[in-house]
Amino acid sequence: QVQLVESGGGLVQAGGSLRLSCAASGSIFSINVMAWYRQAPGKQRELVASITSGGSSNYADSDKGRFTISRDNAKNTVYLQMNSLKPEDTAVYYCYADLSTRYSGRYFRYWGQGTQVTVSS
């Protein structure tokens, strides 16, 4: 069974930094897109950043210049470096991966359990 496990969340002051990590484990054959989403209370889940297997990345407009997404394909891990954090960044951050397993050649979408990021003013 494939699992996505996030780490690195926590409480920081405005202007501080955090680095989130998400490691995919299981019988993984290949990973296409990996991404970070976030969901604040009472709001819809939104895309923060995504990165393709080739390293092409996209960011939400509010996060450009502050956040950086990267991945280590050998470790099946995606990272999100968050700098200059603002209180409005407070949310549960979810890891996402579009991947195929060694038992199936089809790609499926997987989600992590989420990690809380709280930014105080």
Side-chain angles (χ1 to χ4, degrees):
Q1 183 69 32
V2 173
Q3 289 186 322
L4 303 180
V5 181
E6 302 103 331
S7 62
L11 173 64
V12 298
Q13 295 182 344
S17 299
L18 284 174
R19 190 171 93 132
L20 306 182
S21 299
C22 173
S25 62
S27 300
I28 299 170
F29 182 74
S30 65
I31 303 177
N32 187 7
V33 176
M34 300 189 82
W36 288 96
Y37 287 75
R38 67 187 176 196
Q39 186 168 23
K43 297 184 179 180
Q44 292 182 286
R45 187 172 298 185
E46 64 177 359
L47 176 69
V48 177
S50 65
I51 185 167
T52 68
S53 60
S56 179
S57 60
N58 286 295
Y59 299 89
D61 290 338
S62 62
D63 303 325
K64 286 185 176 180
R66 299 187 300 123
F67 293 2
T68 302
I69 189 170
S70 61
R71 62 189 286 174
D72 185 335
N73 292 331
K75 297 181 178 180
N76 292 329
T77 300
V78 63
Y79 306 93
L80 184 68
Q81 178 67 47
M82 303 186 293
N83 299 323
S84 302
L85 284 163
K86 305 174 182 179
E88 50 262 44
D89 294 319
T90 296
V92 176
Y93 284 70
Y94 295 91
C95 179
Y96 163 90
D98 182 13
L99 58 84
S100 65
T101 68
R102 299 186 187 278
Y103 306 110
S104 175
R106 300 179 63 184
Y107 283 81
F108 293 91
R109 300 177 177 89
Y110 292 87
W111 293 90
Q113 64 181 355
T115 184
Q116 177 70 47
V117 172
T118 302
V119 184
S120 62
S121 60

